[in-house]
Amino acid sequence: MEISLDKNTKNLLKGYNMLLYFAGSMIMNEPVEECVVDFWQKGLIKALPVNSTNPRFIGAASQLRESCTDRSTCKSILQEDFRRLFSPSNGLPLAPPYKSAYTDTILEAAEGKDKVTDFYNSYGWKKRSDYKAADDNLGIELIFATLLIDKYISFYDEVCRIEMAKEIRRFIGTHIMTWLPAWHERMQETAGSMCYKGIATLIYASLEDISDMMGKPDSGLNTAFRN
């Protein structure tokens, strides 16, 4: 049955995709001046494109509002935190953003659990190699999640959307939420800036909201697109 997705839901999901893409880029790439200007100095972080009553989302918004208050030092603070957390010049990263740092992948393989690589391959997603990051890197997983959501939005057939919603929930639940809480806790303990604490919380909350929406697409969750 061909039933178009309503405009508000489309805009809401596009808003979440914008947040996931922003967060993924901040994990995979060292922040540059353009990033600081676009997201902080122009006020985009303080006016998130989504409203949510999820307490974790509200907490993330509060953390981000308190971040980068000094524009003259914002870029250097972000870069220093990025290097400490994800890409130190020596030693180990304080909060490595990949699944294998938090779960026993050997045991999972022995138990026959699905690998995230297999999920990517089932959709023929090969361009991830362009990012030069491991398949279980959180940034890669967030990019893939946005692609699945884009597919969901593009479907006119209701049956296809229902099946894609199940796939989105399965991907988030199986390949991200199994380790994201541990990473989020590590970020709250080790991030030196409110920026990265807020980004970690934003990822956690956004994925919770998206998973809930996919489970109850017509239930009218307490989320809204900010005009």
Side-chain angles (χ1 to χ4, degrees), residues 39-40 45-46 60-70 74 78 193-199:
F39 292 113
W40 272 273
I45 288 301
K46 292 186 178 181
S62 177
Q63 287 178 313
L64 289 170
R65 279 195 298 268
E66 296 174 15
S67 67
C68 263
T69 53
D70 185 348
C74 185
L78 287 171
S193 67
M194 195 61 72
C195 307
Y196 272 105
K197 290 179 188 288
I199 287 169

Side-chain angles (χ1 to χ4, degrees), residues 73-138:
T73 60
C74 185
K75 183 181 76 169
S76 61
I77 290 173
L78 287 171
Q79 289 178 337
E80 181 181 354
D81 222 11
F82 176 90
R83 293 164 190 162
R84 291 173 58 254
L85 294 166
F86 312 132
S87 183
S89 57
N90 50 57
L92 297 173
L94 295 179
Y98 43 85
K99 179 180 181 179
S100 53
Y102 304 90
T103 61
D104 190 334
T105 53
I106 296 176
L107 178 61
E108 286 190 345
E111 293 176 346
K113 293 185 178 179
D114 293 338
K115 295 180 180 179
V116 70
T117 297
D118 296 332
F119 208 117
Y120 299 154
N121 290 340
S122 70
Y123 281 86
W125 190 43
K126 298 179 180 178
K127 289 187 176 181
R128 63 187 186 273
S129 60
D130 295 344
Y131 296 97
K132 298 179 182 179
D135 280 355
D136 67 342
N137 183 287
L138 180 57

